[in-house]
Amino acid sequence: MKSTTTVRRVSLSVAVVAALTGVAACGSADSGKGDSKASDAGTVHLSPVAAVLRDVEQSTDKADSAKVRATTSMGDIMAMNAEGALTWGNGLKGNLDITYTGGKLADSMRKAGTSHMEARYLPGAYYVKMSDAFAQQAGGKHWVKYDFDYLAKVGGASGAYMKDQLQTSTPNQSVKMLLASGDVKKVGVETVDGQHTTHYAGTVDVAALAGKGSNLSADQLTALKQQLKQSGITTDAIDIWVNDQNLLVKKSEKAATANGTLNSTAHYSDYGVAVTAEAPPAADTMDIADMMKSGGVSSPSGGTTSGGTGLSS
């Protein structure tokens, strides 16, 4: 019984980490869907900067894929690194290797025999491969499937928002967020990852952009804003570095939450790289929905998830 409870607890923690890392490595939900005129109109006073960022948005979007290196931390709760390749042409898809580097969650995962995991992102779900030690407590199965529709169903507003983000995330969303915020400035010229880049920065209202950039219903949006308020999340400081080809080289975000300061940084390279990702063998895969039915525990997107996915990009 104890091992079963541990498996469920670890699986819920993994749901948070994998979702947060996928969104942090790519970007938050679109804040200007199909409304370039409205976005431009909202940044008229920054037209020179807005014009450049619009080019960056389009160039990065057309690139379709890239290699990613990312770091994410939240107070003393967790710290982790991720590396892999993602494509976003038809929904987020790709692979990330995630390593826990610190925090309470890392300690818990190590006790469960897992400090590293592989995450596969597909249009309808993501899968996480756990350690042999975890599999011994989980009927010999190494992979856990997290279906987006299930997470949205059991997670309420934050679950629906997490689904929306994971299905629409692309690296250029951080650019769109800055454009939509109306608060962006050119910081200067810097060398990043050996490339000549231009640094831009701004601050966005998380709740306001969640309303602009998601497919949530009015009730879901109201609930999400309440969860964001309870989490202490108000604004998100975003910095981006763009190379001479108008491609995103680096982006970082910082925001305060009830669980401590959330920091995420991602580096992008090798745009256009070939990316493949497939669902793991069914015989080696557990479904989180089945695990929760047998366990009767809280939803995978409560607590930390609502605080994490609401502002990562």
Side-chain angles (χ1 to χ4, degrees), residues 11-296:
S11 298
L12 292 175
S13 297
V14 167
V16 175
V17 171
L20 179 61
T21 306
V23 176
C26 232
S28 293
D30 192 337
S31 59
K33 293 178 181 177
D35 193 8
S36 60
K37 291 182 180 179
S39 296
D40 289 337
T43 54
V44 171
H45 61 293
L46 292 176
S47 56
V49 172
V52 172
L53 293 187
R54 184 65 68 197
D55 287 340
V56 173
E57 172 200 336
Q58 295 173 353
S59 296
T60 303
D61 185 51
K62 291 178 181 178
D64 191 60
S65 65
K67 291 184 178 179
V68 182
R69 290 183 295 111
T71 60
T72 305
S73 66
M74 179 184 289
D76 63 352
I77 302 297
M78 64 179 177
M80 56 195 169
N81 297 332
E83 185 169 358
L86 298 170
T87 181
W88 50 88
N90 187 26
L92 183 64
K93 183 178 179 180
N95 308 275
L96 290 176
D97 288 321
I98 302 172
T99 302
Y100 301 94
T101 57
K104 297 175 182 177
L105 180 57
D107 293 339
S108 297
M109 297 299 285
R110 290 192 190 99
K111 291 178 182 178
T114 297
S115 59
H116 170 270
M117 63 187 187
E118 175 188 345
R120 293 183 186 176
Y121 300 88
L122 296 172
Y126 61 88
Y127 300 79
V128 176
K129 185 178 184 180
M130 307 297 287
S131 66
D132 289 338
F134 177 90
Q136 290 176 1
Q137 303 178 66
K141 297 183 179 182
H142 294 80
W143 291 88
V144 181
K145 176 184 178 181
Y146 300 90
D147 181 86
F148 292 156
D149 288 335
Y150 172 77
L151 294 177
K153 179 180 179 181
V154 301
S158 61
Y161 190 44
M162 179 170 67
K163 172 189 174 182
D164 186 75
Q165 286 186 304
L166 283 166
Q167 291 186 317
T168 62
S169 293
T170 64
N172 69 349
Q173 301 308 338
S174 55
V175 182
K176 291 185 178 183
M177 289 174 72
L178 287 176
L179 281 168
S181 73
D183 176 30
V184 58
K185 63 182 179 180
K186 178 180 176 180
V187 178
V189 175
E190 303 172 22
T191 299
V192 177
D193 295 338
Q195 300 182 62
H196 176 272
T197 69
T198 303
H199 179 185
Y200 300 91
T203 302
V204 303
D205 182 316
V206 178
L209 286 186
K212 292 180 181 178
S214 68
N215 293 313
L216 303 185
S217 68
D219 289 343
Q220 288 175 325
L221 183 57
T222 298
L224 175 63
K225 288 183 177 180
Q226 181 61 30
Q227 289 174 341
L228 291 173
K229 181 179 180 181
Q230 292 173 348
S231 298
I233 301 169
T234 55
T235 59
D236 189 7
I238 300 177
D239 290 74
I240 62 172
W241 288 260
V242 179
N243 66 15
D244 294 337
Q245 288 73 49
N246 283 336
L247 292 171
L248 199 61
V249 174
K250 176 184 175 182
K251 69 94 184 169
S252 70
E253 295 188 48
K254 183 176 182 179
T257 79
N259 292 318
T261 301
L262 175 65
N263 291 283
S264 70
T265 301
H267 296 253
Y268 306 96
S269 64
D270 298 87
Y271 279 96
V273 65
V275 177
T276 59
E278 297 180 352
D284 196 25
T285 303
M286 299 178 294
D287 193 305
I288 188 65
D290 294 333
M291 297 175 66
M292 295 304 101
K293 287 178 183 177
S294 62

